[in-house]
């Protein structure tokens, strides 16, 4: 049967990437179908119940600045929050929120169901409908064909997913759910490079069986900012504590005793896992000199007894899991509600995508999330938003939105994936950006919201709030320039000084100065004050970085002559020379989209292009 309605965009998969993709597409006015194996798992936090962190929090802020779901939903489901790296500079400070898993999932579903021109349908996708290298829909397992002009595939860990617990393994997309074997086989016929990655999850523990008196308490911060800039949650949940415990020598000895039955060390799993979130057996093996490893004991929500022991992800057999969990302080009588496991799955080389996340060999087919080799909710959601936006723009015959690494962490991630590819699960860190002082959490709205409004992702009410915030920031900045501070007003001032100059001193904060400003006309909020303070304190660094960004953007536009001789570029690999000859890019921006092109190769090319001119 052919489904009676034809859609503009079909989004396959309803994890974090799929939900953001469908929401972005629908907001762009495209008739959008979100198809999922199970409606009950829409927006499910399948691993740890938390959003944000270093680099990841920056992505969430950017998603929010482009009208996405994740920031607002995380705020509404928050039960514990912290600002990380408070002792460091503002560029690397990041928000992390513990979520009530069930409330988060339900809120995502509620928002999607209420969205006009967004339809949700429960079915498994078996194959893609492709003709003459262009997609025109999907086919489900019950034989239903659904037509569309564009498809966004967000398959997560489901493509030929295989779950491992000890030496036992079975097909599965995640615990209790089937893997997408037929779809994986169909995709492999499209001529794209496919490989395997793996990730894992720890056993869950019943809170009633934990001795919390033996654990260190990690309270929630009192003044953690919201992820969402303007959509403030009116009914915040009460916050709860998280806890910390540690593994010990006995724990490590138990783990070592089971390594011969570990799929990681017995050769059953040969795919690569996330380097920055290793399993506990990896930690014990690789860091043999360490006596213990920290475990963050995180509640799953208010209406559940389950806790998530962050730091002991594993694929060891259950008897070893049972023993090592009970060897940890506070877990002596722990009852495991769910076993930990590893999962292997297919992903496709992201170098086969263009910067819009469209596949190069199939027109109007977009990939987002773990199918591109990334790991994490935030990385998936950011890709989903961009892919859904570009799928809708493609249908509307409009040019794609191309994220820029000089302007966003989204751009850093896409640029990294497409120019370098990945052989391990890609995770966002602030260290990945050469412009990180300019790409802070607090200014994501300034960086992205004007363009988001032009695209139609941001509504007029949010835009007016943004404009008011900018007006307030400008007023406060101007008042600081004309306000004079005497030595007795603010400590450490040797003489009368303009407030904006005084604020450059490390020991002086903007809250020390606000009481001495006359006729401001409004009470600045925390976000406005921090924005002004950061801009003034780091003015010199920010100016230098803006110069670098302008140079980068100028370099991307550098034209490459039609008769340019790539063989003369010393240091460029023969493989890249051949690709450049084949593609004949018109400028450096086009050259960047060639699979395998690296920043180092682009630098070489720029030198020779300038010499040619």
């Amino acid at each position: 049967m052919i489904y009676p309605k034809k859609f503009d965009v079909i989004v396959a998969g309803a994890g974090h990437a799929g939900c953001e993709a469908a929401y972005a597409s629908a907001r762009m006015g495209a008739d959008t179908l979100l198809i999922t194996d199970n409606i009950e798992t829409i927006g499910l936090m399948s691993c740890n119940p938390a959003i944000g962190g270093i680099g990841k929090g920056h992505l969430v802020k950017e998603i929010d600045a482009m009208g996405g779901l994740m920031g607002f939903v995380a705020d509404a489901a928050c039960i514990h929050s912290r600002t990380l790296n408070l002792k460091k500079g503002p560029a690397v400070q990041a928000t992390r929120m513990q979520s009530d898993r069930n409330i988060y999932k339900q809120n995502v579903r509620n928002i999607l169901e209420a969205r006009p021109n967004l339809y949700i349908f429960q079915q498994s996708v078996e194959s893609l409908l492709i003709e003459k290298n262009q997609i025109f829909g999907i086919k489900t397992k019950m034989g239903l064909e659904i037509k569309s002009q564009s498809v966004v595939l967000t398959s997560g860990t489901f493509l030929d997913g295989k779950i491992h617990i000890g030496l036992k393994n079975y097909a599965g997309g995640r615990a209790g759910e089937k893997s997408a074997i037929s779809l994986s086989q169909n995709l492999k016929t499209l001529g794209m490079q496919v490989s395997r990655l793996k990730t894992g999850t720890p056993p869950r523990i019943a809170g009633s069986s934990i001795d919390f008196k033996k654990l260190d308490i990690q309270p929630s911060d009192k003044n953690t900012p919201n992820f969402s800039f303007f959509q403030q949650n009116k009914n915040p949940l009460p916050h709860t504590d998280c806890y910390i415990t540690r593994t010990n020598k006995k724990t490590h000895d138990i783990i070592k005793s089971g390594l011969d039955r570990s799929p990681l060390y017995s050769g059953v799993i040969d795919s690569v896992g996330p380097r920055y979130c290793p399993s506990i057996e990896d930690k014990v093996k690789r860091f043999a000199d360490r006596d213990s490893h920290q475990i963050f004991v995180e509640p799953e929500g208010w209406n559940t007894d389950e806790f998530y022991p962050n730091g002991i992800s594993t694929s060891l057999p259950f008897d070893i899991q049972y023993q090592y969990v009970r060897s940890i302080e506070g877990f002596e009588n722990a009852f495991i509600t769910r076993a930990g496991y590893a999962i292997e799955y297919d992903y496709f080389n992201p170098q086969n995508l263009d910067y819009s996340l469209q596949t190069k060999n199939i027109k109007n087919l977009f990939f987002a999330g773990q199918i591109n080799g990334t790991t994490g909710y935030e990385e998936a959601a950011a890709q989903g938003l961009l892919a859904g936006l570009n799928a809708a723009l493609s249908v509307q015959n409009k040019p794609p939105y191309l994220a820029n690494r000089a302007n966003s962490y989204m751009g850093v991630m896409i640029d990294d994936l497409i120019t370098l590819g990945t052989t391990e699960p890609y995770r966002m860190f602030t260290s990945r950006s050469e412009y990180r002082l300019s790409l802070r959490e607090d200014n994501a709205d300034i960086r992205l919201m004007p363009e988001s409004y032009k695209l139609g992702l941001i509504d007029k009410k949010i835009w007016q709030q943004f404009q008011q915030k900018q007006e307030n920031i400008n007023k406060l900045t101007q008042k600081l320039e004309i306000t004079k501070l005497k030595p007795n007003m603010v400590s450490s001032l040797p003489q009368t000084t303009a407030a904006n100059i005084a604020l450059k001193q490390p020991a002086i904060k903007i809250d020390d100065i606000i009481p001495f400003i006359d006729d401001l006309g409004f009470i600045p909020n925390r976000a406005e004050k921090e924005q002004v303070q950061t801009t003034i304190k780091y003015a010199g660094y920010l100016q230098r970085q803006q110069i670098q960004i302008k140079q980068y953007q100028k370099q991307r536009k550098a034209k490459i002559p039609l008769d340019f001789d790539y063989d003369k570029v010393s240091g460029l690999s023969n493989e890249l020379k051949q690709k450049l000859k084949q593609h004949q890019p018109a400028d450096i921006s086009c050259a960047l989209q060639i699979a395998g092109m690296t920043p180092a190769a682009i630098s070489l090319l720029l030198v020779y292009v300038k010499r040619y001119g």
Side-chain angles (χ1 to χ4, degrees):
M1 174 185 171
I2 297 176
Y3 195 82
K5 179 178 175 61
K6 182 177 179 179
F7 295 90
D8 294 324
V9 176
I10 293 175
V11 178
H16 300 281
C19 291
E20 294 289 356
Y23 192 54
S25 173
R27 279 180 296 144
M28 291 296 293
D31 268 355
T32 305
L33 177 69
L34 177 61
I35 186 167
T36 175
D37 288 358
N38 185 354
I39 286 178
E40 303 302 324
T41 60
I42 289 174
L44 177 67
M45 306 176 88
S46 53
C47 197
N48 63 317
I51 297 293
I54 309 301
K56 291 171 172 285
H58 293 68
L59 284 175
V60 179
K61 286 281 192 176
E62 292 178 359
I63 291 166
D64 184 74
M66 294 190 73
L69 285 167
M70 182 169 273
F72 175 68
V73 177
D75 289 344
C78 178
I79 59 174
H80 183 278
S81 60
R82 294 178 64 213
T83 299
L84 308 181
N85 279 347
L86 266 176
K87 294 181 180 179
K88 297 183 179 180
V92 296
Q93 291 178 9
T95 307
R96 186 179 189 275
M97 290 186 178
Q98 198 72 26
S99 297
D100 184 300
R101 187 188 296 276
N102 291 326
I103 292 175
Y104 186 99
K105 180 182 68 168
Q106 189 59 53
N107 284 349
V108 171
R109 181 174 172 180
N110 291 347
I111 292 170
L112 295 180
E113 288 179 336
R115 183 71 219 177
N117 53 284
L118 175 55
Y119 306 83
I120 300 172
F121 186 56
Q122 180 171 295
Q123 258 291 290
S124 297
V125 177
E126 186 169 65
S127 60
L128 305 177
L129 302 176
I130 298 169
E131 193 172 278
K132 296 180 180 178
N133 294 326
Q134 182 165 339
I135 196 153
F136 63 92
I138 54 100
K139 184 178 180 180
T140 73
K141 283 194 174 178
M142 68 178 183
L144 180 65
E145 291 187 4
I146 309 176
K147 302 293 182 65
S148 69
Q149 296 183 61
S150 191
V151 171
V152 181
L153 191 55
T154 67
S155 49
T157 58
F158 281 72
L159 290 178
D160 201 11
K162 182 181 286 187
I163 290 172
H164 297 265
I165 303 175
L167 299 182
K168 301 289 185 182
N169 57 73
Y170 55 92
R174 58 188 168 210
E177 297 183 63
K178 295 178 180 179
S179 64
I181 297 173
S182 298
L183 180 59
S184 179
Q185 290 171 344
N186 176 241
L187 286 169
K188 288 170 185 175
T189 67
L190 301 182
M192 290 179 283
Q193 183 183 346
V194 61
S195 299
R196 301 278 280 175
L197 291 175
K198 78 115 183 151
T199 189
T201 190
R204 310 303 202 273
I205 300 173
S208 56
S209 67
I210 298 173
D211 187 349
F212 290 101
K213 294 190 294 294
K214 293 184 177 181
L215 275 53
D216 296 328
I217 296 176
Q218 185 184 53
S220 181
D221 288 353
K222 293 181 179 179
N223 297 311
T224 301
N226 290 323
F227 271 126
S228 186
F229 287 101
F230 303 112
Q231 298 187 71
Q232 301 304 318
N233 176 34
K234 296 179 181 178
N235 299 298
L237 297 172
H239 281 202
T240 185
D241 293 326
C242 290
Y243 303 86
I244 298 173
T245 186
R246 304 186 71 91
T247 63
N248 53 58
K249 186 178 182 302
K250 183 179 179 183
T251 311
H252 296 186
D253 288 342
I254 294 168
I255 290 167
K256 289 173 186 175
S257 73
L259 289 180
D260 60 326
R261 291 187 289 145
S262 163
L264 292 176
Y265 291 97
S266 60
V268 176
I269 292 178
D270 58 5
S271 51
V272 181
R275 189 195 321 176
Y276 304 102
C277 188
S279 66
I280 188 61
E281 51 265 44
D282 262 345
K283 291 179 185 178
V284 169
K285 186 79 172 176
R286 287 162 49 191
F287 307 105
D289 57 321
R290 295 186 59 174
D291 295 329
S292 67
H293 295 281
Q294 196 165 240
I295 304 168
F296 295 94
V297 186
E298 302 169 343
E300 296 265 355
W302 277 108
N303 296 314
T304 176
D305 187 44
E306 280 191 306
F307 277 73
Y308 184 97
N310 194 342
I312 55 171
S313 170
T314 188
S315 59
L316 287 163
F318 184 74
D319 60 304
I320 299 296
Q321 292 186 38
Y322 183 87
Q323 292 177 56
Y324 86 64
V325 164
R326 287 192 158 213
S327 72
I328 296 166
E329 190 167 17
F331 292 174
E332 292 87 353
N333 297 304
F335 182 83
I336 295 175
T337 57
R338 311 184 201 205
Y341 63 88
I343 182 166
E344 285 187 292
Y345 55 93
D346 288 345
Y347 82 104
F348 290 83
N349 184 354
Q351 291 175 306
N352 290 318
L353 304 174
D354 64 24
Y355 274 75
S356 71
L357 296 180
Q358 181 179 219
T359 60
K360 289 179 178 177
N361 52 341
I362 307 294
K363 187 179 179 183
N364 289 341
L365 173 61
F366 297 79
F367 285 176
Q370 284 172 291
I371 191 172
N372 292 335
T374 61
T375 182
Y377 306 148
E378 302 83 0
E379 291 86 349
Q383 291 172 73
L385 188 152
L386 294 173
L389 165 62
N390 282 320
L393 289 171
S394 175
V395 168
Q396 296 162 0
N397 295 313
K398 295 177 181 178
Y401 173 82
L402 305 180
N404 183 343
R405 75 177 295 123
N407 196 40
S408 68
Y409 277 100
M410 289 183 180
V412 172
M413 174 173 61
I414 302 305
D415 193 48
D416 284 351
L417 290 171
I418 289 170
T419 59
L420 303 175
T422 187
T423 56
E424 65 180 20
Y426 179 99
R427 178 178 176 179
M428 180 50 66
F429 291 103
T430 52
S431 59
R432 291 191 185 273
S433 173
E434 60 271 50
Y435 307 119
R436 56 186 169 273
L437 187 55
S438 298
L439 307 184
R440 307 183 306 276
E441 274 196 3
D442 67 274
N443 69 352
D445 58 337
I446 295 173
R447 291 185 277 116
L448 298 174
M449 206 165 274
E451 197 158 10
S452 300
Y453 181 64
K454 288 179 185 176
L455 287 165
L457 290 169
I458 299 294
D459 64 33
K460 192 171 183 179
K461 179 182 176 183
I462 297 296
W463 178 244
Q464 288 172 341
Q465 289 176 299
F466 170 75
Q467 289 181 306
Q468 184 62 58
K469 177 185 174 184
Q470 294 313 110
E471 185 180 326
N472 290 348
I473 286 171
N474 290 336
K475 282 182 181 177
L476 179 54
T477 301
Q478 290 165 7
K479 278 290 185 180
L480 288 171
E481 291 171 356
I482 62 174
T483 298
K484 303 296 182 183
L485 298 176
K486 295 178 181 179
N488 63 339
M489 291 180 174
V490 179
S491 61
S492 77
L493 278 183
Q495 59 192 24
T496 299
T497 310
N500 63 322
I501 302 301
L503 189 54
K504 291 178 180 289
Q505 296 190 21
I508 296 177
K509 307 299 180 187
I510 196 166
D511 282 330
D512 301 327
I513 298 173
I514 292 289
F516 303 106
I517 298 177
D518 296 326
D519 303 321
L520 187 55
F522 70 99
I523 300 174
N525 61 32
R526 177 182 175 181
E528 291 163 349
K529 288 187 290 185
E530 288 183 353
Q531 183 77 219
V532 172
Q533 177 172 278
T534 299
T535 302
I536 290 174
K537 283 188 178 293
Y538 295 89
Y541 298 104
L542 288 167
Q543 286 169 6
R544 284 198 292 272
Q545 196 148 101
Q546 285 306 308
I547 292 170
Q548 292 172 345
I549 289 171
K550 287 179 182 178
Q551 288 173 339
Y552 167 79
Q553 291 171 334
K554 184 179 178 181
Q555 288 171 349
R556 285 178 67 99
K557 296 176 183 177
K559 301 294 182 184
I560 303 175
L562 285 172
D563 58 347
F564 185 80
D565 188 353
Y566 293 103
D567 288 325
K568 290 184 178 179
V569 184
S570 177
L572 201 62
S573 71
N574 288 330
E575 180 187 0
L576 285 179
K577 287 177 182 177
Q578 290 301 317
K579 287 183 176 181
L580 286 162
K581 290 175 189 177
Q582 177 187 348
H583 289 279
Q584 289 294 312
D587 55 29
I588 293 296
S589 181
C590 293
L592 274 166
Q593 298 189 45
I594 296 173
M597 190 60 67
T598 66
I602 289 294
S603 296
L604 278 172
L605 193 55
L606 272 166
V607 169
Y608 280 83
V609 167
K610 287 177 182 178
R611 286 182 189 173
Y612 186 95

